[in-house]
Amino acid sequence: MAESDKVFAGSIPKFYDTLMVPLIFEAYAADLAQRVAAFSPGSVLETAAGSGVVTRSLAPKLSADARYVVTDLNQPMLDYAASRQGSDSRIEWRQADALDLPFEDASFDVVCCQFGAMFFPDRVAGYAEARRVLRPGGRFVFSVWDRIEENAFADDVTNAVATVFAYDPPRFLARTPHGYHDRDLIEAELRRAGFAQVEIETHEKLSHAATARDAAIAYCMGTPLRNEIEARDPGLLQLATDRATQAIARRHGEGPVAGKIQAHVIVAAG
Ligand SMILES: C[S@@+](CC[C@H](N)C(=O)[O-])C[C@H]1O[C@@H](n2cnc3c(N)ncnc32)[C@H](O)[C@@H]1O
C-alpha cells in the first residue's frame, strides 16, 4: 500500500461524505448497523469510522445507556463525522490507529469496522487488536469490498484514469479498497489473529448517482485516488475526472446512472 492511500484529509472528507457515501457506503452501513444492533451490545467500538456513515445509522439503534466509541486514523474524517452527528452523550470521538488501540483488554461487546481493514498495513495485527479489546463472547463485525471487476464504477474510473497516465497508471482503487477480497485469505488471517468462529457473506447491491459526473467526481476527488493523481500532476485532476465521466456515461448512460457494487460482510468471534 502506498503511504498516500491512507491519507483522508484536505478536501477529501467533504467530497467523500457528500458524494462517495451516498454512492456506495450508505446501503452497506445500514446493513452493518442492523447486524451490530442485533447483538444488543452495551458497548461498541467503531474503527476506521471515516465521515461517520455507520455511526449515524447505528447510534439510534443502541440502548440509552450504551457506550459508543468512534475512532479513525485521520482526525479530519472524525471531525467531519462529529460535525454531522449532533449531540449524543453516549458517543466518544477519538483518533486511533486500529492497529494500536488505546483501550484496555476486554472492554467492548462489539468492534465494528466498515471498509477499513483493506487499509491496515498488517491485517493480522489489526484483527488481533480488535480481538484483544473484545470481551469474551464479543463479536468483530466488518466489511471489505469484493474485487474491482465486481464494482462497476470503480473499475470504469480506474481504466479511464489510466488513459491519462499511460506509463504510470494510478492504481489506488484496485490496489487498496479492492485489493483484499479473497475470502479464504480473510478467514485464514482472522484465525491467525485468534478468532475461532468466522462467518463471511457476499452481498451485491446497486450504487446510484444523479449523473456520471457525480460518480466520477466522487472517486477522483473524494478518495485518496486524488492524492495519487495530484502526485503525478495536479493540473491533470480535471482531465482525469473528465475521462472517468465519459467512461461511466458510455457504459451507464447520460442521465442518472446505476452500477453494481459487491462486498463481503464478516462476523468473527471466539
Ligand atoms: C474507505 S474509508 C471507510 C470509512 C467509513 N467506515 C465508511 O464506511 O464510510 C477508510 C477509512 O479508514 C481509515 N483508516 C485508514 N487506515 C487506518 C488505520 N490504520 N486505523 C484506523 N483507521 C484507518 C481512513 O482514515 C478512512 O476514514
Side-chain angles (χ1 to χ4, degrees):
M1 185 175 75
E3 266 306 296
S4 68
D5 286 8
K6 62 181 185 199
V7 180
F8 287 70
S11 54
I12 290 178
K14 182 164 175 278
F15 281 110
Y16 179 90
D17 194 64
T18 53
L19 292 175
M20 274 314 269
V21 164
L23 188 62
I24 60 172
F25 291 97
E26 227 156 48
Y28 284 102
D31 175 77
L32 199 88
Q34 201 68 53
R35 285 167 195 267
V36 171
F39 294 122
S40 305
S43 54
V44 176
L45 169 66
E46 183 177 351
T47 57
S51 62
V53 62
V54 169
T55 318
R56 291 191 285 280
S57 188
L58 178 55
K61 297 182 170 60
L62 296 178
S63 63
D65 58 352
R67 175 182 183 223
Y68 188 5
V69 182
V70 181
T71 65
D72 193 275
L73 181 68
N74 285 288
Q75 186 69 48
M77 288 295 260
L78 217 46
D79 290 343
Y80 201 95
S83 75
R84 286 213 50 194
Q85 186 70 36
S87 132
D88 187 332
S89 59
R90 301 168 305 164
I91 299 180
E92 225 174 288
W93 304 96
R94 184 142 179 199
Q95 188 277 333
D97 186 337
L99 278 75
D100 184 18
L101 294 170
F103 307 108
E104 308 258 299
D105 295 0
S107 24
F108 296 95
D109 297 321
V110 170
V111 174
C112 65
C113 179
Q114 171 164 279
F115 301 123
M118 307 85 86
F119 294 84
F120 299 173
D122 178 342
R123 245 92 57 174
V124 176
Y127 297 160
E129 192 61 349
R131 187 167 176 272
R132 180 185 69 75
V133 301
L134 278 174
R135 297 203 174 97
R139 267 80 163 206
F140 179 34
V141 184
F142 71 103
S143 53
V144 298
W145 292 114
D146 203 345
R147 66 186 74 245
I148 197 163
E149 293 79 8
E150 306 290 353
N151 288 270
F153 296 150
D155 201 28
D156 293 341
V157 168
T158 299
N159 294 332
V161 171
T163 66
V164 181
F165 304 96
Y167 296 104
D168 184 19
R171 297 282 301 162
F172 164 74
L173 293 170
R175 176 178 62 240
T176 299
H178 296 285
Y180 184 59
H181 48 73
D182 180 333
R183 290 173 52 135
D184 291 341
L185 176 64
I186 295 166
E187 175 163 356
E189 292 194 333
L190 283 161
R191 291 194 188 278
R192 276 172 58 203
F195 286 103
Q197 297 150 34
V198 178
E199 285 167 25
I200 304 180
E201 294 176 11
T202 301
H203 291 284
E204 176 184 337
K205 294 185 188 293
L206 258 193
S207 58
H208 299 271
T211 63
R213 181 138 200 93
D214 278 1
I217 292 174
Y219 283 96
C220 294
M221 300 190 186
T223 76
L225 175 60
R226 178 185 194 129
N227 303 335
E228 221 186 353
I229 294 170
E230 291 185 330
R232 283 160 177 72
D233 185 343
L236 291 179
L237 180 61
Q238 204 53 57
L239 177 63
T241 310
D242 290 346
R243 292 267 173 95
T245 304
Q246 289 151 11
I248 293 171
R250 247 191 327 270
R251 282 192 58 194
H252 305 276
E254 292 292 341
V257 289
K260 177 187 170 185
I261 46 177
Q262 190 158 294
H264 305 309
V265 182
I266 303 116
V267 180

